[in-house]
Amino acid sequence: VHKPSRASLALLSAGAVLAATSCSARGASDEVSIAVGVYPLEFVARRVAGEGADVLNVTPPAAEPHDVELTSSQVVSIAEADLILYIGGGFQPAVEKLAAEAGDRAVDLSIGPDPHLWLYPLQLADVARVTADQLERVDPEDSGFALQADRLRHELQQLDQEFRAGLEDCERRDIVTSHEAFGVLAEHYGLRQIGIAGLDAEGEPSPQRLAEVAELVRERDVEVIYFERLLPPDLAETIAEETGARTALLDPIESEPEEGDYFSAMRDNLDALREGLGCR
Ligand SMILES: [Zn+2]
């Protein structure tokens, strides 16, 4: 057994002191720490930053990201993170508040009033590129970030092609969703979204809204009412019963899938859409 000499022990502890006292200068062996607001950003951060990175998603599994509340340890983790990736515009005010104090360590990825940008694969590819740029700034010695972002972009372009081809030739184009999470997706693949609840998934829809949706379902021969994993399915079921439609899962991927990842959840969504819309 090799015993370290006194001299090397002294060097080790000197190194430890240096590491503990230097906050701004990152050593080559330090793990990059990234705090993110919602699962799809975690997925991108892990893919772009690679194995060594320490990624904290402040939305726990099976929880809803809208208006997420932070624990005190999450507040500390965000304050200490090398990089904070979040979607602004009121999606997660608690995260935005901390991000405002974090200066250029925090990056707002929002691109409009709709926070659900990850449901269009090419927008998530843009997020990957921005993440790589930011990681290069944090850790200039690691040259792998751009390459990993590029690989991810190719996979996302492939996914976009599958959606484009899979939703091209369909009998119907209206999708009834639990909340208006699929606007970006609908816009890019030529669908029309009818949301039971609004963009922020807040509050019970009014009886008038439910009647309106039921009316649209009849008018446009909608056959499937989509529910999601994190919201109770009762409203979708009520409308389905009233109109003779059936229900199916369409996952807005707002938290980590129980099985698989972003790509498998998106492909399940494509299958559910093709089936519900009668696509060939
Ligand atoms: Zn949402």
Side-chain angles (χ1 to χ4, degrees):
V1 179
H2 169 77
K3 281 189 181 171
S5 69
R6 272 179 198 284
S8 65
L9 274 178
L11 273 176
L12 276 175
S13 57
V17 170
L18 261 179
T21 50
S22 67
C23 297
S24 52
R26 298 182 44 79
S29 63
D30 287 348
E31 288 179 3
V32 177
S33 62
I34 309 168
V36 303
V38 62
Y39 167 73
L41 304 183
E42 176 189 358
F43 178 74
V44 167
R46 288 192 192 283
R47 285 288 306 263
V48 175
E51 291 287 309
D54 172 16
V55 182
L56 168 80
N57 175 11
V58 300
T59 303
E64 240 244 276
H66 290 270
D67 300 317
V68 72
E69 284 172 23
L70 302 176
T71 65
S72 50
S73 77
Q74 287 177 330
V75 170
V76 172
S77 297
I78 293 176
E80 291 177 346
D82 296 316
L83 179 61
I84 304 160
L85 299 173
Y86 71 105
I87 295 168
F91 177 47
Q92 298 180 308
V95 179
E96 270 178 68
K97 192 164 156 267
L98 291 173
E101 295 160 10
D104 62 2
R105 288 187 300 120
V107 181
D108 179 358
L109 297 160
S110 64
I111 42 165
D114 186 346
H116 309 89
L117 57 95
W118 59 86
L119 292 171
Y120 178 45
L122 298 187
Q123 252 159 27
L124 202 59
D126 291 344
V127 168
R129 188 184 44 75
V130 171
T131 302
D133 291 347
Q134 293 297 323
L135 286 169
E136 273 169 8
R137 190 175 55 76
V138 171
D139 189 358
E141 283 172 36
D142 190 328
S143 55
F145 302 130
L147 187 68
Q148 323 248 55
D150 225 41
R151 279 196 190 127
L152 183 53
R153 182 169 57 83
H154 284 294
E155 286 175 54
L156 289 164
Q157 283 171 335
Q158 169 66 35
L159 182 66
D160 169 63
Q161 285 306 315
E162 289 171 33
F163 266 80
R164 217 161 278 291
L167 297 173
E168 198 173 13
D169 184 11
C170 308
E171 282 165 36
R172 294 169 294 277
R173 304 221 72 97
D174 294 282
I175 55 170
V176 178
T177 62
S178 289
H179 83 290
E180 288 173 350
F182 295 88
V184 188
L185 185 151
E187 182 196 325
H188 285 96
Y189 302 115
L191 307 179
R192 279 180 301 206
Q193 174 180 240
I194 302 164
I196 300 173
L199 261 185
D200 58 5
E202 288 277 297
E204 282 280 289
S206 64
Q208 288 93 314
R209 180 60 189 157
L210 292 179
E212 251 171 55
V213 173
E215 184 56 34
L216 285 167
V217 167
R218 289 193 196 94
E219 230 176 73
R220 300 185 185 173
D221 299 316
V222 173
E223 290 191 2
V224 170
I225 314 295
Y226 292 107
F227 62 89
E228 40 184 275
R229 270 189 304 134
L230 304 175
L231 293 179
D234 50 344
L235 293 174
E237 280 162 8
T238 305
I239 293 171
E241 266 166 42
E242 209 180 293
T243 57
R246 47 185 205 284
T247 60
L249 174 69
L250 191 64
D251 186 358
I253 322 182
E254 296 194 332
S255 80
E256 186 173 5
E258 282 159 33
E259 277 173 40
D261 61 10
Y262 170 83
F263 280 106
S264 60
M266 282 298 275
R267 292 194 166 102
D268 288 348
N269 281 344
L270 178 57
D271 289 344
L273 288 169
R274 285 176 47 76
E275 149 80 18
L277 298 174
C279 307
R280 282 162 289 263

